[in-house]
Amino acid sequence: MSAKAIFGEMPQMKISTAIQTSALIALLAVPTIPALACSAAGPNTHVGNVLSVDRDAGTFTILDAENMSPVTLAADEALLDQVSSISGSVAVTYEKDGDTLRALALR
């Protein structure tokens, strides 16, 4: 069965617009890769972009890629030095210490 038989007499512009609209809907329906990053990175791992480093408090904050909220982690001086030099995305392995998330390693 041809498209003409299914859709009737449709100008080329309408078919082209329908294809473009379908492609846009398909693209919007697929979640972005960073949104899946934290779950895919494994347990006790946050992935995101570095927002700030507070050396006085011994912490740094990232914007979590999965839930798009800031996450603040405590870190030692060596990790603060590492995270200070990162521009872009970072994966942080951490452990819970009461209400505090303590960064253990960066990837």
Side-chain angles (χ1 to χ4, degrees):
M1 188 172 273
S2 71
K4 185 175 178 181
I6 295 171
F7 298 110
E9 290 290 331
M10 292 183 70
Q12 185 63 31
M13 184 66 171
K14 285 186 180 179
I15 293 172
S16 177
T17 302
I19 292 170
Q20 289 174 352
T21 302
S22 297
L24 180 60
I25 290 169
L27 286 173
L28 294 175
V30 177
T32 59
I33 299 302
L36 301 173
C38 296
S39 296
N44 296 334
T45 303
H46 279 292
V47 177
N49 288 329
V50 178
L51 295 177
S52 65
V53 177
D54 185 343
R55 290 187 175 278
D56 293 334
T59 62
F60 66 94
T61 302
I62 65 170
L63 182 62
D64 187 273
E66 188 167 277
N67 60 23
M68 298 307 292
S69 63
V71 176
T72 300
L73 301 107
D76 62 24
E77 284 296 319
L79 280 177
L80 290 176
D81 287 342
Q82 284 181 351
V83 80
S84 293
S85 66
I86 294 173
S87 62
S89 187
V90 63
V92 184
T93 305
Y94 66 91
E95 67 181 4
K96 279 195 99 164
D97 184 9
D99 290 337
T100 303
L101 300 180
R102 188 160 311 281
L104 301 175
L106 304 176
R107 292 184 274 160

